[in-house]
Amino acid sequence: MVVKGKLKMALVAEKDIDFKKLNLKKKEKAARKKKAQKGGDKPESNGKVEEVWEDVEEAAEDSGSDEDEEELETAPMQIDFEGIDESDSDSSAGENDQENDLEDDEDDEDIPVSDLEDLDDEEKEDMIPHQRLTINNTVALTAALKRIALPTSKIPFSEHQSITTSAPVVIEDVSDDLNRELAFYAQSLSAAQEGRKLLKAEGVKFTRPTDYFAEMVKADEHMAKIKAKLIDEAASKKASSDARKQRDLKKFGKQVQVAKLQERDKERKTTMEKIKALKRKRQGADTETTNEADIFDVALEDETAKPSRKDRIGPNKRQKKDEKFGFGGKKRFKKSGDAMSSGDLTGFSSKKMKGGAKPRPGKARRASKK
Amino acid sequence: MSAYKALSKSNGDKQEAPANGIKKNKQRVLILSSRGITYRHRHLLNDLASLLPHSRKDAKLDTKSKLYQLNELAELYNCNNVFFFEARKGKDLYLWMSKAPNGPTVKMHMQNLHTMEELHFTGNCLKGSRPLLSFDASFDKEPHLRVLKELFMHIFGVPKGARKAKPFVDHVMGFTLADGKIWIRNYQISETEPSRISTSTDSTDAKPKVKKNADGKETEISLVEIGPRFVLTPIVIQEGSFGGPIIYENKEFVSPNQVRSEIRLKKAGRYNQRAEQGVERLAKKGELGLRTDGGRKAKVDELDTGTLFA
């Protein structure tokens, strides 16, 4: 202990006096913090300097560290920093750590009030001013790390199989699920590619051959469940899309039907109008030159020829039938004579009335006449 | 006991140390939980245990206060890592990760956890194959993150000679730092042939594969997620194993209890506001003489029905 203390003193003497003061201050600070926390802190395992590595050389040191532990238990207040410094076997590393600590002090500012100003008034009202103690003991952290760290640079890659990305993964909005997962995926994918390269360079088996069967993390029934779920999902998706299509078709079909009907109506109206106009013209244009009527006739013929067979059948059939069988008006006394028919003298001749008809010639005469 | 321990340790070390002096990555993880975990926590624990062939699962620990008992348990099972789920109030889950005899120990809050079963991912991997561990570069920036990374490496990385480990590498675990939290994902590495020519050469032994690698004619790698998923927020790092001084504390961490209490307070605030409004309204009515009791009495009008027909 004493020897190590001397070492430390020498180290400190090597540096500035300011630094010494700082260290003192820190000790005080740490002590205060410890008093505040007290609860779960057990100073026993504090000073242990054990390698977790299975290593021959370390065995002796292990037993030595146990003694250290006992010594330290007597003076629990100082422990923190001394223990840590002792665990640094490398003096240069210790220097770095302490420098880090200096920088760290500047970083350890609490959240400024300006950061809290952009909160709603409502939220501010309910906020409890609560400040945690900021603890970030860089020296102890690096010491702890050093104690357990795998020498990744010394051992072959296949021993640890860990890959760190060259640039930090930046995720702008953590609540944006898609982009976040994409970033994770990209990170792992690059690691997989690099890892395969490194492993194959070391001659380690990477790809599982297709005929290698072994227990999987997810059992067959689990995979079957997943498959069923996937099929279910696909089926329901398809069904819904089909239904939607059908719906759309129905809607569209109705529109088409309506449009067709309207068109037909319009057509009928126009033809009727034209016929009417034609009739009017015929009536009024009897005296006029036939030339005009001829032109119109041609147009009318065209017009009547145009509509499809189906259209012709529709109204024309009725007209024909009406003509043939009659439609509208009373049917009684249709065959009885009236003023017109009695006045009609077309079938009357006085000749017939006078001498009567000539007697019918004889058979021989009739035959010779032929 | 300690003498025996020291003796046995030194003996064991002598046997296991390789001749060339290169240290061997030897890890064994004790996995267990406290009492009072929910079924989802339990399933997640099982999922993780199935991914870690170098782990030893133990029965639930009875206590939540005397966690240093875990050190003895770890020693009993020959483990140098402890992976402990601590459930609080039947809903909050805290994850402790520790290097068994001497620390450090990390306590983290686990959120957004989804077990393998409920995620329905199509990925799958060999039980006990060694994963590739993919770390975000931001893990190297701060000392406490470096400690975390080292712990992840020890606990989630399957050591080479692990007893139940399978010889192939078919999954990759991603650790990403985002928003002050650590996001953990597990993917299957699925290799697909880019073309037919490579298929014929692929059946030959490993040496041409390496050559192919140099040419850039490799099977294409794509990832399929396996699960589980979870997010960790580091809270505290202790120097010892379940003990010792706190060497890091995350000041940005807000405990779920506080979050819940704030929500409750907010709700209570809403009620208080309404109640206050009610009182104000009553007072206003009293001022205008619209209340039968209390407040100012309304002026008696001569034309009031009460006075007219009294």
Side-chain angles (χ1 to χ4, degrees):
Chain A
M1 194 91 185
V2 183
V3 181
K4 277 176 184 170
K6 268 182 185 172
L7 252 170
K8 204 183 140 200
M9 288 299 284
L11 241 172
V12 171
E14 220 176 82
K15 286 160 211 158
D16 298 40
I17 303 161
D18 289 349
F19 185 69
K20 217 176 184 177
K21 277 181 188 169
L22 243 169
N23 224 356
L24 258 168
K25 265 188 203 167
K26 234 173 229 159
K27 265 186 196 170
E28 282 172 16
K29 206 171 143 193
R32 251 183 283 134
K33 274 178 194 171
K34 273 186 102 176
K35 266 183 193 167
Q37 292 156 8
K38 232 181 194 177
D41 294 3
K42 302 249 164 174
E44 325 165 349
S45 49
N46 208 7
K48 270 199 184 176
V49 190
E50 253 186 23
E51 270 285 2
V52 193
W53 291 93
E54 269 74 18
D55 205 359
V56 206
E57 292 102 284
E58 237 74 326
E61 213 176 282
D62 271 355
S63 56
S65 72
D66 280 348
E67 288 165 21
D68 273 1
E69 187 186 52
E70 280 167 11
E71 276 177 25
L72 284 166
E73 265 176 313
T74 55
M77 243 27 212
Q78 303 175 335
I79 281 164
D80 194 0
F81 277 79
E82 301 222 333
I84 291 146
D85 279 8
E86 275 162 17
S87 67
D88 274 346
S89 53
D90 207 23
S91 66
S92 65
E95 248 177 68
N96 283 340
D97 293 343
Q98 279 154 349
E99 275 162 21
N100 278 344
D101 216 1
L102 271 175
E103 289 166 13
D104 212 58
D105 253 15
E106 289 155 17
D107 290 348
D108 273 354
E109 281 161 16
D110 292 335
I111 303 166
V113 186
S114 59
D115 277 4
L116 300 171
E117 273 174 3
D118 53 1
L119 287 171
D120 291 352
D121 281 347
E122 213 177 309
E123 276 178 79
K124 247 188 198 171
E125 203 173 67
D126 294 332
M127 205 172 58
I128 305 164
H130 175 87
Q131 194 73 63
R132 277 170 178 280
L133 286 171
T134 57
I135 301 175
N136 194 355
N137 190 340
T138 317
V139 185
L141 281 169
T142 37
L145 175 66
K146 217 169 167 190
R147 214 166 55 216
I148 61 165
L150 291 168
T152 44
S153 53
K154 282 180 205 159
I155 56 176
F157 174 73
S158 61
E159 282 283 345
H160 60 94
Q161 294 196 345
S162 75
I163 292 166
T164 310
T165 53
S166 48
V169 177
V170 180
I171 297 168
E172 257 132 56
D173 183 14
V174 249
S175 46
D176 180 3
D177 285 7
L178 192 71
N179 284 328
R180 187 192 62 216
E181 293 303 323
L182 213 64
F184 294 161
Y185 180 90
Q187 182 201 327
S188 293
L189 186 66
S190 70
Q193 272 154 351
E194 199 182 326
R196 180 171 67 170
K197 212 189 281 171
L198 289 168
L199 284 175
K200 283 192 172 166
E202 283 181 19
V204 178
K205 280 184 258 177
F206 185 84
T207 319
R208 176 168 68 109
T210 46
D211 56 350
Y212 182 91
F213 293 108
E215 195 184 354
M216 306 291 275
V217 163
K218 291 178 187 173
D220 282 347
E221 53 259 41
H222 187 182
M223 289 310 278
K225 222 190 257 175
I226 291 169
K227 205 173 174 186
K229 170 122 184 159
L230 279 182
I231 290 169
D232 250 25
E233 237 161 50
S236 73
K237 207 178 264 179
K238 200 180 168 233
S240 79
S241 81
D242 273 3
R244 177 183 298 273
K245 208 185 270 173
Q246 203 73 24
R247 243 185 345 257
D248 285 353
L249 216 65
K250 207 172 169 185
K251 212 184 270 173
F252 188 66
K254 212 171 243 173
Q255 276 176 351
V256 165
Q257 204 177 358
V258 166
K260 213 174 216 174
L261 279 176
Q262 278 174 343
E263 203 184 338
R264 211 177 279 168
D265 245 19
K266 210 172 164 187
E267 216 163 76
R268 192 184 294 148
K269 219 176 261 174
T270 50
T271 46
M272 289 306 277
E273 249 164 42
K274 263 180 189 161
I275 289 167
K276 253 184 209 165
L278 185 62
K279 271 183 188 167
R280 217 176 297 135
K281 233 169 210 174
R282 276 268 165 97
Q283 275 174 358
D286 263 350
T287 51
E288 280 170 30
T289 50
T290 52
N291 216 10
E292 210 176 309
D294 276 348
I295 293 163
F296 199 81
D297 265 353
V298 171
L300 181 70
E301 261 171 50
D302 281 356
E303 199 60 51
T304 46
K306 255 182 196 169
S308 65
R309 209 172 12 152
K310 206 178 160 195
D311 281 340
R312 220 172 1 191
I313 286 168
N316 272 8
K317 196 175 181 184
R318 190 69 251 163
Q319 272 180 0
K320 289 262 170 68
K321 280 195 168 182
D322 286 352
E323 263 169 38
K324 195 172 180 182
F325 305 110
F327 175 76
K330 57 183 175 185
K331 314 279 191 292
R332 277 178 298 166
F333 312 125
K334 252 200 175 166
K335 289 178 179 173
S336 51
D338 57 355
M340 282 288 275
S341 70
S342 49
D344 186 16
L345 294 172
T346 47
F348 180 78
S349 77
S350 53
K351 258 188 192 173
K352 278 181 184 175
M353 286 274 295
K354 255 189 185 165
K358 274 182 183 170
R360 194 177 182 225
K363 194 176 183 180
R365 266 209 207 157
R366 269 185 284 151
S368 67
K369 225 181 183 179
K370 267 184 188 174
Chain B
M1 183 70 192
S2 62
Y4 167 73
K5 182 175 139 195
L7 267 176
S8 62
K9 216 177 236 170
S10 60
N11 283 344
D13 284 350
K14 252 171 207 163
Q15 281 165 4
E16 273 147 15
N20 54 5
I22 293 172
K23 288 169 177 176
K24 221 179 152 210
N25 183 9
K26 274 201 77 172
Q27 308 294 342
R28 242 173 93 76
V29 186
L30 177 67
I31 292 188
L32 76 171
S33 73
S34 73
R35 278 176 60 194
I37 56 168
T38 66
Y39 78 97
R40 294 183 71 209
H41 301 159
R42 192 180 68 241
H43 286 200
L44 181 69
L45 195 74
N46 287 339
D47 287 347
L48 289 172
S50 75
L51 285 171
L52 310 176
H54 60 302
S55 68
R56 172 72 160 83
K57 238 181 97 201
D58 198 35
K60 289 173 186 166
L61 192 73
D62 218 351
T63 172
K64 281 176 195 166
S65 51
K66 296 171 197 158
L67 291 182
Y68 52 84
Q69 288 177 359
L70 284 167
N71 292 330
E72 289 168 34
L73 259 180
E75 201 192 319
L76 198 71
Y77 289 122
N78 240 341
C79 295
N80 56 354
N81 298 287
V82 180
F83 186 86
F84 177 64
F85 272 12
E86 183 189 349
R88 293 263 174 195
K89 303 191 166 183
K91 47 190 156 187
D92 304 325
L93 188 65
Y94 296 94
L95 169 63
W96 293 80
M97 296 196 315
S98 160
K99 292 297 290 177
N102 304 318
T105 308
V106 182
K107 185 189 184 186
M108 288 179 282
H109 180 224
M110 195 183 264
Q111 283 169 304
N112 288 9
L113 58 100
H114 299 283
T115 63
M116 235 180 239
E117 194 164 9
E118 66 192 13
L119 277 172
H120 294 295
F121 286 137
T122 49
N124 201 353
C125 65
L126 287 172
K127 192 169 189 167
S129 62
R130 304 181 57 211
L132 284 168
L133 303 176
S134 162
F135 288 98
D136 186 354
S138 358
F139 272 105
D140 286 337
K141 279 187 183 152
E142 308 240 5
H144 70 272
L145 292 173
R146 282 169 65 193
V147 171
L148 279 170
K149 180 186 168 187
E150 200 62 37
L151 275 168
F152 283 131
M153 221 146 97
H154 291 192
I155 288 172
F156 287 100
V158 178
K160 201 173 188 183
R163 202 163 58 82
K164 287 178 245 167
K166 302 262 164 46
F168 307 106
V169 180
D170 63 351
H171 68 292
V172 49
M173 281 194 109
F175 300 83
T176 314
L177 202 78
D179 196 25
K181 298 178 178 69
I182 298 155
W183 305 66
I184 298 175
R185 296 285 184 272
N186 186 22
Y187 299 96
Q188 176 195 352
I189 301 171
S190 74
E191 289 172 279
T192 45
E193 310 294 338
S195 68
R196 210 167 253 192
I197 305 155
S198 61
T199 339
S200 56
T201 50
D202 209 43
S203 54
T204 51
D205 61 345
K207 275 185 184 173
K209 264 186 192 171
V210 179
K211 227 182 233 171
K212 246 193 314 170
N213 196 6
D215 296 346
K217 275 187 193 172
E218 259 290 4
T219 52
E220 277 164 13
I221 285 183
S222 62
L223 302 181
V224 187
E225 190 156 2
I226 303 171
R229 282 180 169 184
F230 50 94
V231 177
L232 299 170
T233 317
I235 306 170
V236 149
I237 299 178
Q238 281 180 306
E239 204 187 20
S241 176
F242 297 102
I246 291 170
I247 52 177
Y248 170 78
E249 184 163 9
N250 185 3
K251 62 178 170 181
E252 281 166 24
F253 173 72
V254 184
S255 90
N257 289 329
Q258 202 181 332
V259 170
R260 280 193 291 265
S261 88
E262 255 158 43
I263 289 169
R264 272 201 303 274
L265 269 179
K266 214 174 181 180
K267 272 185 183 163
R270 232 157 43 203
Y271 168 73
N272 287 345
Q273 222 173 359
R274 265 207 309 275
E276 215 166 87
Q277 271 178 353
V279 169
E280 261 170 39
R281 199 171 52 240
L282 279 181
K284 213 175 192 177
K285 277 188 169 176
E287 278 292 295
L288 293 170
L290 295 172
R291 291 183 62 192
T292 48
D293 51 342
R296 193 193 292 166
K297 280 271 180 269
K299 217 187 264 174
V300 181
D301 194 8
E302 282 182 0
L303 291 174
D304 201 32
T305 41
T307 49
L308 263 175
F309 299 107

